Amino acid sequence: MTSKLSMTQSIRYWAVVPAAGVGKRMNADRPKQYLELAEKTVLEHTLLRLLAADVFSAISVAISTEDPYWSSLATATHPKIVRAAGGKERADSVLSALTAIRTEAADVDWVLVHDAARPCLMPSDIHRLIDTLNNDEVGGILALPSHDTLKNVQNQYITHTVERNKIWRALTPQMFRYGVLKSALEASVGNLAITDEASALERQGLQPKIVEGRPDNIKITRPEDLALAEFFMRQQLMEITG
Ligand code: C5P
């Protein structure tokens, strides 16, 4: 792997946002990233949070080629936002968004992949992830320890209780080097078990690090999550303004 940047140039940060899903579990008339939340779409909130962190050279967003909503968003024409074609699975969309910035990004640059459906991300979480992993060999992800007791189940019967203290829930952003992430995803094309970036790196024998994130960084999945996200946004505003 060769870097396009010389050692004297500084490493840059890129954001990748897969936003080409249909969000079937929402039972809505449009993909969940375009549902309204506090006067904007979910996707606009997500992009504004990433822009507010003020660290990214560009934000590459994977949008379905049949998407009729994207061009009407105010953020679609922001100079830091690049549109890429969405793919069949989430990993295909991420790979396409990485390819869209390949002429500018160096293999050693960091990429933070963040779900379009997580609009409550706080810029402070982005900075903590970057500060913790900046000197790490592999990179890592925001995650939350599991507080529930977890059961392994087969045909609706419990086979055993999972050791809870070893279980963390994977969130996004997930932060890896451009070159390592791209080749790990290319090696995993067609593998449906790859549901996040970390799992593609794990398949290469690498061990991403866990950085504890905020519990309000929820993923919009079901209809009731919109009300929850709105509540968290109000709380965050109070936290910021005091
Ligand atoms: O469906 P799920 O919530 O797991 O999707 C996570 C993220 O991946 C969402 O932001 C969704 O838009 C995106 N995605 C994508 N391309 C796909 C499937 C999902 O960009 N083919």
Side-chain angles (χ1 to χ4, degrees), residues 37 49 120 122 214-218 225-239:
L37 164 68
R49 297 288 174 117
C120 301
M122 287 291 268
R214 290 174 56 117
D216 53 8
N217 182 12
I218 59 164
D225 294 332
L226 282 171
L228 193 58
E230 210 164 316
F231 169 79
F232 282 139
M233 284 183 172
R234 275 200 302 272
Q235 297 287 110
Q236 290 174 343
L237 197 63
M238 288 194 310
E239 189 181 315

Side-chain angles (χ1 to χ4, degrees), residues 129-141:
L129 186 68
I130 290 176
D131 292 347
T132 311
L133 298 175
N134 236 346
N135 297 317
D136 197 272
E137 283 283 302
V138 178
I141 70 170

Side-chain angles (χ1 to χ4, degrees), residues 18-21 25 32-33 87-90 93 115-117 219:
R25 283 166 293 191
K32 59 185 176 182
Q33 56 274 26
K88 192 160 172 277
E89 305 297 333
R90 182 184 184 285
S93 295
D115 288 334
K219 183 164 78 169

Side-chain angles (χ1 to χ4, degrees), residues 99-175:
T99 305
I101 52 170
R102 74 172 180 276
T103 54
E104 287 186 79
D107 280 351
V108 291
D109 284 352
W110 287 111
V111 178
L112 278 75
V113 183
H114 183 61
D115 288 334
R118 293 187 189 271
C120 301
L121 173 68
M122 287 291 268
S124 59
D125 253 10
I126 300 176
H127 292 294
R128 202 152 34 80
L129 186 68
I130 290 176
D131 292 347
T132 311
L133 298 175
N134 236 346
N135 297 317
D136 197 272
E137 283 283 302
V138 178
I141 70 170
L142 286 179
L144 279 173
S146 176
H147 297 309
D148 294 320
T149 297
L150 298 164
K151 304 293 185 189
N152 198 296
V153 173
Q154 252 175 2
N155 301 326
Q156 289 190 298
Y157 287 94
I158 296 167
T159 55
H160 61 273
T161 299
V162 179
E163 251 188 281
R164 179 170 70 179
N165 58 358
K166 288 190 182 159
I167 302 294
W168 287 67
R169 290 164 44 213
L171 310 176
T172 70
Q174 304 204 348
M175 170 171 158

Side-chain angles (χ1 to χ4, degrees), residues 18-35 62-69 86-90 93 116-117 220-222:
V22 285
K24 272 189 242 134
R25 283 166 293 191
M26 288 299 287
N27 297 318
D29 66 341
R30 62 193 63 203
K32 59 185 176 182
Q33 56 274 26
Y34 294 113
L35 293 174
I63 302 289
S64 163
T65 46
E66 282 131 45
D67 183 322
Y69 307 104
K88 192 160 172 277
E89 305 297 333
R90 182 184 184 285
S93 295
I220 307 289
T221 308
R222 288 171 303 230

